[in-house]
Every structure is written in structure tokens, then in C-alpha cells.
Amino acid sequence: LPFAFCPFQIIKVFSEDGTRKVVEIPADMTARDLCQLLVYKSHCLNDNSWALVEHHPVLGLERCLEDHEMVAQVQASMTSEGRFLFRKNYAKYEFFTNPLNFFPEQMIAWCQETSSTIPPSQLLQNFLNSSSCPEIQGYLYVKEMGRKSWKKLFVFLRRSGLYFSTKGTSKEPRHLQLLSDLEDSNIFTVITGKKLHSAPTDYEFCIKPNKVRNEGKELRMLCAEDEQSRTCWMTAFRLFKNYKIPQQRKTLLSHFSTPVRSVSENSLVAMDFSGTIGRVIANPVEAQSAAMEEGHAWRKRSQRMNILGSPSPLHTSSLSTVIHRTQLWFHGRITREESHRMVMQQGQVDGLFLLRDSQSNPKAFVLTLCHHQKIKHFQILPCEDDGQVFFSLDDGSTKFTDLIQLVEFYQLNRGVLPCRLKHPCTIVAL
């Protein structure tokens, strides 16, 4: 027979450190099921933020597979250089809980036309409800097919496809021209846009047909003005293509009407265990002093253990300078650019963070944090007090005996940071 259906497929999945795992899966296994399998095999924490990424290194494209997509089917449409990556993606479901962060009102057509503010629950219902007609609009740079030049056009994204106006911002049918269909294509982030395509900004993305003869010529290259608008276009594309809710199942969205917090966010509260029973500390000033007291108590216990003959060969001073290296959020001597790339790849949600060695000061560290889709860096400096080395983010106002204590404190309290630490940037070897 020229073609025989195989009930099982061999899939190679790579992690970001270059290691790979070869797994045999059923032909109908979904991306979500494969992620669950890899979490189990790699002994990772299953927090629903792991994703399977379709990566094309030569074209410089990648996208996160939707949960329901069949992995073998996606692999069959990939070229030989394409590969699957196993990676954290905290933004995978974030648009359900914080839709206003993903859909700025100036880009939503009906907000502009009615001059009204729409509640987050209604905003999401309109996007998911197949009977409503939401529309994203705005200017995009569009690369002409087969040419190097880019044009700035006024573009509309509807359920039927992506259109541009041939006459300014006119929406008259005679002025609209189809740029791309949504049905038989997928949307990708372009990770080498400026270098490979002479893109006018860093915020490039691309619509790639599932079946193409010449990938380089049939890609629809697009470029946004900033990260927020790129995220909006790409999220709306995903919603229109993958998340259509039939009219009779409207009630399914009722639980999205109030903000849903993550498990880690719900479980992190400041506690006082000094009495006979534990109590939650609501006052942030009291929480800060409690954290400092606990740090001093922990240091005294460690010193006492060393005097009494602790099994650990490390003294307290040396332990505090190396203990963080066991943590998943610590990435050692990576560059500023590498930390940017990791944060961007893992979702750019508020509170996504990592710690790394400082490149400018060998005794210091840097906290890289994402807030409002912008990546910020905060230097953590060592400071001495009474012969003891501490670490501080705020010039010594709040001091910590080690980086683990510092991270745990800022997971509970915002302090001088724009938001609390919520999601650690993590790389797991397969």
C-alpha cells in the first residue's frame, strides 16, 4: 500500500538547554496530553503552565500549540528543520483571567464606535461567542509578498479573516481587501525579524499557511508598533480560530466573570507562627518585620548548628552565597539579552521573574521582572551589618540573609517593586 495509517508516532521534543526526549505517542494524542506526559517523565511541577512549542529555527518562527491540537498532525505539516520545544508559557490562559491586559480598548472596534467601557466578562464573552462580531483594528506594517519593502496599512481582524483598507481607515466593503484567511493557517511570533526580514520594529509576527509549497514566499509577515498591540493581534487570532463557543453554551463562561487567581497567588500569604496557632498577617509593615525576625532566628539557628557540629561543611556566611544556586529561578551567569529572551518566551505576564549574576558587579545579582509587558532589571547588592553579609534590593532598607529569603519576601510583598514575584522563569532538562 502506498500509505498505511500508523496508530503510533515517534516524536522528538527538545528543552531549551538542548536536551531532548524521544517519545512514542498515539496518533490522536493532543498537545495538552503530551505536556502532561512530559511533566510526569521529567518530574516537573504540574502547574498547567507547560506548553508545546512549534519552532522553526531557519525561518525564525515559533508558536505555542493549542491544547486540543493533535501533535502527530502538526508534525506532519512541519518541514524537516522544524522541531517541538517543551517550555513554560504563563500567558497560555492569561487572557481568560485578565482580558483587559490583552485587548486595549483603542484596538477594539465596538469600543471606539460606542465610546463605552465594556466589563472584562462581557469583553471575553463577545470574543468567544460565535454569534457576536468583534473586530480588532489598527495600523500594522505589512511586508509585500516576495519583496523586501514594508507598507503601513490600516488593518481589521474579523472571524472571516484579516483585511486591510485600500482607502485610509474606510470600512466600506469596496475598500477592503483580504490579507489572510484564518481557517487553514496559524499565527507565529517572529524571533529574528529585524535581522532576517529588515522589519521596521522588533514586534514582528507572521501568518503561516498550514500547507505551503514555498514557505519563504507564502508567509504573511506583519509588524506592530509595540508589544501590547502585537499581543492583542495574536491573541485575537487565537480566539477567533480556536475558541468559538456555541450560542447555547453561553453559561460556560460564567466562571470567568470574576478574576481568577493562580494557585501560587492564592497560597502565598504572610503567616505568624510565633504563638500556639498560626495567623495570617494582613499588615504589610508587620509582615516585613516578621520576615526580618524570622531571618535573624534562622541565622542564629544555623550558627548554633555549625558550633554543635552540623553535618554541613559550609559555614553560614558561605552557605548564604551559594544556596540560591539550587533554585529553579536562578540562572547564573546569563546575559541581560538572554534574560530578556527567556521572559519573552515564557509569556511576559505580570510577576514573571528570574535572578542572575550581575555582569557589572561580581558580588551583586540582578532580578529580572516583567510588568505590563515590559522587562525591568533591579540590582541586588550585598551589604554588611555587624560583620554579617546581607542582600538588599532597596539600598539596605530591607535586608535578607540569602536570595531565597529575598525572593520569598517579594512573593508576599511588593515592596519597592512594581508588582509581586509570581511566576519563576524555569528551564527543565528532559
Side-chain angles (χ1 to χ4, degrees), residues 1-9 27 72-73 76-77 211:
L1 288 173
F3 175 78
F5 176 74
C6 178
F8 289 91
Q9 298 280 335
Q73 195 173 321
S77 69
K211 293 178 181 177

Side-chain angles (χ1 to χ4, degrees), residues 96-347:
F96 284 117
T97 56
N98 297 303
L100 291 179
N101 290 352
F102 288 78
F103 300 108
E105 288 190 352
Q106 70 270 18
M107 293 183 66
I108 303 170
W110 79 77
C111 289
Q112 295 298 299
E113 290 158 8
T114 61
S115 300
S116 61
T117 300
I118 295 175
S121 57
Q122 186 62 42
L123 176 71
L124 204 57
Q125 289 235 6
N126 286 353
F127 271 102
L128 295 175
N129 198 344
S130 54
S131 65
S132 63
C133 302
E135 194 175 281
I136 296 294
Q137 64 180 27
Y139 283 98
L140 281 176
Y141 295 97
V142 180
K143 191 171 187 286
E144 295 187 79
M145 288 287 197
R147 300 178 68 180
K148 291 186 178 180
S149 57
W150 293 77
K151 277 188 177 180
K152 192 173 183 178
L153 302 172
F154 198 71
V155 182
F156 310 92
L157 181 62
R158 299 172 173 173
R159 291 194 187 280
S160 54
L162 186 69
Y163 301 85
F164 73 94
S165 177
T166 57
K167 190 176 181 180
T169 59
S170 171
K171 289 187 181 181
E172 289 185 43
R174 62 196 175 100
H175 295 145
L176 294 187
Q177 193 166 321
L178 183 69
L179 268 175
S180 179
D181 186 19
L182 273 63
E183 201 59 43
D184 296 314
S185 53
N186 281 301
I187 196 157
F188 287 76
T189 302
V190 182
I191 51 180
T192 54
K194 278 210 160 185
K195 193 183 296 182
L196 202 61
H197 307 110
S198 305
T201 76
D202 290 319
Y203 311 105
E204 193 180 3
F205 58 106
C206 152
I207 298 175
K208 176 180 172 292
N210 293 336
K211 293 178 181 177
V212 291
R213 294 176 297 280
N214 187 327
E215 286 191 330
K217 290 184 178 177
E218 295 184 54
L219 299 177
R220 175 53 75 190
M221 312 303 296
L222 305 159
C223 208
E225 294 276 10
D226 52 46
E227 185 58 57
Q228 189 183 40
S229 56
R230 174 170 72 170
T231 302
C232 179
W233 288 107
M234 295 185 70
T235 306
F237 185 103
R238 287 180 58 203
L239 285 174
F240 288 162
K241 180 179 167 61
N242 299 291
Y243 293 89
K244 294 174 186 174
I245 305 295
Q247 183 76 13
Q248 64 270 25
R249 293 172 64 201
K250 267 188 180 180
T251 52
L252 288 177
L253 281 173
S254 59
H255 66 286
F256 289 127
S257 58
T258 54
V260 181
R261 297 198 301 172
S262 67
V263 173
S264 59
E265 202 176 338
N266 280 326
S267 60
L268 288 173
V269 292
M271 296 290 292
D272 174 20
F273 292 104
S274 57
T276 53
I277 59 169
R279 68 180 181 90
V280 175
I281 305 175
N283 187 333
V285 177
E286 188 185 354
Q288 182 172 332
S289 62
M292 290 302 295
E293 285 176 23
E294 174 60 25
H296 289 307
W298 178 86
R299 191 168 74 255
K300 286 175 184 174
R301 284 196 300 271
S302 301
Q303 288 170 340
R304 193 160 59 245
M305 282 296 290
N306 282 330
I307 292 166
L308 295 173
S310 167
S312 169
L314 293 167
H315 292 290
T316 310
S317 57
S318 59
L319 181 65
S320 66
T321 60
V322 298
I323 193 170
H324 53 268
R325 299 191 179 276
T326 63
Q327 302 302 301
L328 293 172
W329 40 254
F330 188 77
H331 296 276
R333 301 188 63 174
I334 63 171
T335 64
R336 186 186 182 96
E337 292 71 28
E338 286 173 317
S339 70
H340 269 249
R341 179 182 56 80
M342 284 182 63
V343 171
M344 289 180 71
Q345 286 175 342
Q346 297 195 17

